[in-house]
Amino acid sequence: MADDTQAAAAPNPLAGHRAAYLRSGGAEGHLLEGEPLRDGRRFNPMLLLRTTGRTSGRPFVTPLMYGSYGGELIVVASYGGADVHPSWYRNLKAGGALAVQVATQAYTAGWREPAGAELDALWAYMDALSPYYPHYRGMTARHIPLVALLLREPIPVFAG
């Protein structure tokens, strides 16, 4: 199966969330309600990441939970603990245009993969945001990457 068609082949539990985020121009969807965490939080901040398919050349929009750390947005390529990297991450690695929408604002973006002590600090931060990340790391032998996104130039919000 081609990597870019994985999302089409498997049901996507965030498809309705992505549709509402896009339909509303970001007025809906930035905060996704989830199960209450140990500290009482139940809303996760979500962004939309637009990548270019490495084989199709088509744009793909993926909703991802994020954290804000040191002026960058941090996302996790966990893919629910699967043994393969998510398509959005493989598209990033292949190059191509990258854009990010947070609520009602969108930007072109750059990205990098933190390493060393910085990576350890970011994992501690992201693990505190979601108890699922340690669980996902325990489900797979692959290294789950963290990606730091740096927002650049403002652009129009994403369209459905």
Side-chain angles (χ1 to χ4, degrees):
M1 175 183 312
D3 294 332
D4 292 334
T5 61
Q6 270 185 331
N12 183 347
L14 291 177
H17 171 255
R18 178 181 52 222
Y21 209 134
L22 290 169
R23 180 182 59 252
S24 70
E28 298 175 32
H30 178 240
L31 294 178
L32 179 65
E33 187 172 6
E35 297 178 24
L37 301 177
R38 289 184 297 272
D39 64 3
R41 287 180 294 128
R42 65 180 305 140
F43 293 94
N44 298 310
M46 303 292 286
L47 59 75
L48 296 177
L49 182 73
R50 185 172 62 203
T51 58
T52 302
R54 66 202 167 284
T55 57
S56 70
R58 292 184 10 230
F60 288 87
V61 175
T62 306
L64 297 169
M65 189 179 118
Y66 74 95
S68 180
Y69 192 96
E72 295 175 307
L73 303 180
I74 310 302
V75 294
V76 180
S78 62
Y79 206 25
D83 289 330
V84 297
H85 293 308
S87 292
W88 67 261
Y89 175 76
R90 289 177 288 182
N91 290 341
L92 279 183
K93 296 290 279 188
L98 172 64
V100 174
Q101 181 172 330
V102 178
T104 59
Q105 298 178 323
Y107 303 87
T108 60
W111 71 280
R112 66 184 185 87
E113 288 187 61
E118 180 188 30
L119 179 62
D120 295 339
L122 287 172
W123 266 122
Y125 173 71
M126 294 306 288
D127 287 348
L129 290 181
S130 174
Y132 296 108
Y133 294 136
H135 175 70
Y136 295 156
R137 287 197 306 280
M139 292 174 57
T140 183
R142 78 175 167 95
H143 162 75
I144 295 179
L146 285 178
V147 174
L149 302 166
L150 181 60
L151 304 180
R152 293 185 175 154
E153 298 295 320
I155 58 173
V157 295
F158 301 172

